[in-house]
Amino acid sequence: MVSKVLLRLVSAVNRRRMKLLLGIALLAYVASVWGNFVNMRSIQENGELKIESKIEEIVEPLREKIRDLEKSFTQKYPPVKFLSEKDRKRILITGGAGFVGSHLTDKLMMDGHEVTVVDNFFTGRKRNVEHWIGHENFELINHDVVEPLYIEGLAKRVGARLLLASTSEVYGDPEVHPQTEDYWGHVNPIGPRACYDEGKRVAETMCYAYMKQEGVEVRVARIFNTFGPRMHMNDGRVVSNFILQALQGEPLTVYGSGSQTRAFQYVSDLVNGLVALMNSNVSSPVNLGNPEEHTILEFAQLIKNLVGSRSEIQFLSEAQDDPQKRKPDIRKAKLMLAWEPVVPLEEGLNKAIHYFRKELEYQANNQYIPKPKPARIKKGRTRHS
Ligand SMILES: NC(=O)c1ccc[n+]([C@@H]2O[C@H](COP(=O)([O-])OP(=O)(O)OC[C@H]3O[C@@H](n4cnc5c(N)ncnc54)[C@H](O)[C@@H]3O)[C@@H](O)[C@H]2O)c1
């Protein structure tokens, strides 16, 4: 009897234990299923995030391309005249991404011609002609003209004219003042600037020899000092040097007494002269420059005032082969091309100062401010010329 009671008691306790155990096992199972479920969700969510970011990685460049394409469809070019097939010329400009070349490109494009620029961006830059990229009348070729381009051959084949951008440096340190086109010059053939001076002299020789031999029409512009926006910041020329020094509050460096004279023309005047020469029948060399002569010291003071700078003027020792006088005689251009410079010096200088100020701002944003290079001038002839 007692044992029966005991057995029931034990089995009752066991049943309860069993229930308890079953309950715990059930709870554990539910917990583990829940855990797996939560785990799977977070894996799924992570996976979704990863896929989304992968898609974003692929799509973003495509979006950018679409934006670029939209921009190129809506890009505004400077206004261009419409010329008939008969009047529209196809013009190739070597060095067209440089200072003078890019302004010539602008003028010819706006006049309605088709322009192909060939440049290796050695001293020029794409930025100078970027506003034409994509225009139906414009082509830009990245090419080094040291490699054959056969321009002369091309000119002969298509009956085109060849314009040579020669220089006043062919007159060297002149004994004739002002310099006329029939003056043969006074060049030191082994001086520090001889490669440039003699190089241009020989380029003129070759052009005229080619004209005589092959009957190709040649135009030669003897360009005097030119300045304006897009000129090189650090080429050591007097205008760029003075503007940079004045803008940066550094002393304006004058070599010698500053009494040597120079005459500067604004770039738009030069470009008009080049176009007039190209369209003319004048096959002999023509001076293109501004005959308004100033001493270097006058330039320094004028630029200092226009910039509103408190820079001092510092005198350094005279440089070798520095021409004492340089002034074009432009009677030929006036007579034969009906051309003369029209932009007043101060107006041109203000435009150049504005350009340099902006360039310095761009560079300052990159924490870089260029310095002019007076060292180069000390060694050889100054680029006051
Ligand atoms: N700026 C002046 O005051 C001045 C005065 C006299 C003569 N010039 C003559 O006018 C021309 C233009 O002068 P600039 O002041 O505009 O100079 P620049 O240096 O701004 O332009 C020259 C251009 O020619 C390109 N170039 C150089 N070597 C090349 C090569 N091997 N192949 C292809 N392209 C090349 C350069 O990248 C640059 O775009 C030059 O022939 C220069 O001698 C200029």
Side-chain angles (χ1 to χ4, degrees):
M1 180 70 185
V2 173
S3 63
K4 272 186 184 172
V5 170
L6 271 174
L7 268 173
R8 265 189 210 148
L9 208 66
V10 169
S11 63
V13 171
N14 279 347
R15 269 203 305 271
R16 250 187 245 142
R17 265 199 195 147
M18 279 297 287
K19 275 184 189 165
L20 197 68
L21 281 173
L22 271 174
I24 290 169
L26 194 68
L27 267 178
Y29 175 71
V30 169
S32 89
V33 168
W34 180 249
N36 281 346
F37 177 69
V38 169
N39 234 357
M40 271 170 65
R41 278 210 58 174
S42 80
I43 287 170
Q44 191 181 349
E45 274 169 11
N46 266 346
E48 275 169 9
L49 273 178
K50 272 186 190 154
I51 290 168
E52 264 175 31
S53 75
K54 255 276 167 288
I55 291 173
E56 194 56 27
E57 242 174 63
I58 297 165
V59 167
E60 185 45 35
L62 293 175
R63 270 200 212 111
E64 209 167 288
K65 276 204 177 124
I66 291 170
R67 277 197 295 268
D68 284 351
L69 273 174
E70 279 172 352
K71 232 167 88 186
S72 76
F73 282 126
T74 54
Q75 185 175 351
K76 300 241 181 308
Y77 297 103
V80 163
K81 280 185 201 155
F82 179 81
L83 288 181
S84 68
E85 191 78 22
K86 179 172 71 69
D87 296 325
R88 196 167 62 239
K89 294 193 184 103
R90 300 171 100 183
I91 300 161
L92 179 84
I93 306 180
T94 55
F99 163 50
V100 172
S102 64
H103 285 282
L104 183 61
T105 299
D106 287 353
K107 164 84 178 141
L108 294 170
M109 282 292 295
M110 288 195 271
D111 283 351
H113 298 290
E114 289 176 35
V115 177
T116 300
V117 164
V118 172
D119 207 296
N120 67 350
F121 309 110
F122 183 56
T123 50
R125 55 182 182 177
K126 257 187 210 161
R127 216 176 104 195
N128 290 343
V129 289
E130 68 176 356
H131 46 286
W132 294 117
I133 290 173
H135 193 285
E136 59 182 13
N137 286 352
F138 181 77
E139 197 72 61
L140 178 61
I141 301 174
N142 185 342
H143 178 85
D144 188 327
V145 292
V146 169
E147 301 298 327
L149 195 65
Y150 302 115
I151 305 164
E152 307 80 9
L154 185 70
K156 186 185 163 194
R157 220 169 49 240
V158 299
R161 270 183 194 158
L162 195 74
L163 173 83
L164 173 70
S166 185
T167 171
S168 55
E169 301 283 335
V170 297
Y171 301 124
D173 189 2
E175 294 150 320
V176 168
H177 189 77
Q179 293 80 55
T180 47
E181 288 87 348
D182 51 14
Y183 175 49
W184 288 359
H186 182 228
V187 174
N188 174 0
I190 54 165
R193 299 266 296 151
C195 285
Y196 184 70
D197 302 359
E198 299 289 19
K200 287 289 186 182
R201 284 165 72 92
V202 93
E204 287 193 11
T205 309
M206 303 292 270
C207 280
Y208 286 114
Y210 199 68
M211 180 175 91
K212 277 186 200 119
Q213 187 182 306
E214 302 291 344
V216 169
E217 281 197 61
V218 166
R219 302 287 178 266
V220 173
R222 290 196 178 144
I223 303 170
F224 283 66
N225 284 318
T226 307
F227 73 97
R230 300 185 199 150
M231 71 189 297
H232 304 282
M233 304 267 289
N234 289 326
D235 66 356
R237 283 166 180 262
V238 67
V239 171
S240 43
N241 258 9
F242 285 166
I243 295 178
L244 273 181
Q245 288 166 333
L247 283 173
Q248 294 177 113
E250 289 175 0
L252 275 66
T253 45
V254 170
Y255 294 86
S257 66
S259 60
Q260 62 274 45
T261 65
R262 294 293 181 271
F264 291 99
Q265 72 181 325
Y266 188 65
V267 66
S268 61
D269 281 335
L270 168 64
V271 163
N272 289 336
L274 291 174
V275 172
L277 176 60
M278 211 147 59
N279 292 331
S280 77
N281 292 322
V282 188
S283 58
S284 53
V286 178
N287 286 341
L288 293 178
N290 192 328
E292 193 184 308
E293 198 180 6
H294 293 275
T295 66
I296 292 292
L297 194 56
E298 281 167 3
F299 272 118
Q301 266 149 356
L302 178 60
I303 289 174
K304 189 170 122 87
N305 292 344
L306 290 177
V307 169
S309 163
R310 275 193 251 155
S311 297
E312 292 168 9
I313 294 180
Q314 189 182 5
F315 292 89
L316 301 176
S317 54
E318 201 171 316
Q320 188 197 337
D321 283 356
D322 193 17
Q324 289 308 299
K325 284 180 167 191
R326 183 58 67 72
K327 170 182 169 168
D329 182 322
I330 58 163
R331 278 177 298 174
K332 187 170 174 181
K334 272 188 184 169
L335 189 72
M336 314 281 274
L337 312 178
W339 172 88
E340 64 181 312
V342 292
V343 179
L345 179 65
E346 286 196 15
E347 188 184 313
L349 281 176
N350 275 329
K351 285 184 181 163
I353 290 168
H354 175 76
Y355 171 79
F356 274 58
R357 208 190 286 274
K358 279 263 170 252
E359 288 292 296
L360 284 179
E361 272 172 28
Y362 296 144
Q363 293 184 17
N365 291 339
N366 291 334
Q367 307 299 315
Y368 170 69
I369 297 184
K371 306 259 183 214
K373 285 197 248 165
R376 176 177 174 178
I377 301 167
K378 265 191 171 172
K379 277 192 172 169
R381 184 201 297 180
T382 89
R383 299 215 47 195
H384 285 170
S385 54

